[in-house]
Amino acid sequence: MNVDFYEKVWMWVAGVIIAVFLAMIAVSAAAYGIRPPSRIEMIDPAAVMADPRFAQQGVTRLPDGRVQATMVVGMFFWLPAEIHVPAGTPVTFRVTSIDVTHGFEIAKTNVNTMVVPGYVSQLTYTFDTPGEYLIVCNEYCGTGHHTMGGKVIVEARP
């Protein structure tokens, strides 16, 4: 088989690019601790409101000083629609859906996750700057999708 010189060059270039990408993935996984989510918590979407983990939505302060925000999402609402959290404190968001897949995004932050019925989405973020942050659903969930809006109000520490 006779392969042209320039084809060989491009095959080697493609191979090197693939090797570099794989090396970058390995380095980020090892050095920076970036790993796929492995903590899977399931919940019955039909019984979310009766489940003790989500019976009371809102913000609670944990004994170690962290803050936990428990939220339920449905077509076309957030429960609660507004939460207040302190600045400079890690906030763990625990969110689940009672009906269809939603997106949970807090504008002007890197908080962004899918909220899938039957699963609990959990992520932690620390708000450094006080102010109002908009919660939006960034996954089309029906005809009233554009009306879904919530707020995170970050209050300055006293």
Side-chain angles (χ1 to χ4, degrees):
M1 179 164 83
N2 186 14
V3 179
D4 187 53
F5 172 74
Y6 292 110
E7 286 185 60
K8 287 180 185 177
V9 169
W10 281 110
M11 286 191 298
W12 276 102
V13 168
V16 169
I17 289 172
I18 291 171
V20 168
F21 286 154
L22 291 174
M24 290 171 59
I25 291 170
V27 167
S28 67
Y32 301 112
I34 299 171
R35 291 171 177 64
S38 60
R39 182 182 175 279
I40 298 175
E41 185 177 348
M42 298 182 76
I43 190 168
D44 179 10
V48 167
M49 300 311 241
D51 191 297
R53 297 172 288 177
F54 286 90
Q56 178 152 350
Q57 301 87 33
V59 177
T60 55
R61 185 170 284 279
L62 302 175
D64 62 0
R66 292 181 299 124
V67 173
Q68 180 172 298
T70 304
M71 299 181 76
V72 174
V73 60
M75 292 167 58
F76 303 101
F77 61 88
W78 300 97
L79 284 178
E82 183 177 298
I83 60 173
H84 296 259
V85 298
T89 304
V91 180
T92 300
F93 292 94
R94 292 178 45 81
V95 188
T96 192
S97 171
I98 61 172
D99 46 28
V100 298
T101 300
H102 295 276
F104 179 75
E105 178 181 356
I106 301 177
K108 298 189 252 178
T109 69
N110 66 349
V111 174
N112 187 355
T113 190
M114 297 291 291
V115 184
V116 180
Y119 296 94
V120 176
S121 298
Q122 180 172 315
L123 61 143
T124 302
Y125 185 76
T126 302
F127 294 91
D128 295 323
T129 308
E132 285 188 10
Y133 295 82
L134 181 64
I135 302 173
V136 296
C137 176
N138 59 7
E139 183 73 29
Y140 183 74
C141 56
T143 56
H145 167 76
H146 64 285
T147 64
M148 286 184 70
K151 274 191 225 178
V152 176
I153 299 175
V154 180
E155 299 168 341
R157 295 177 116 181

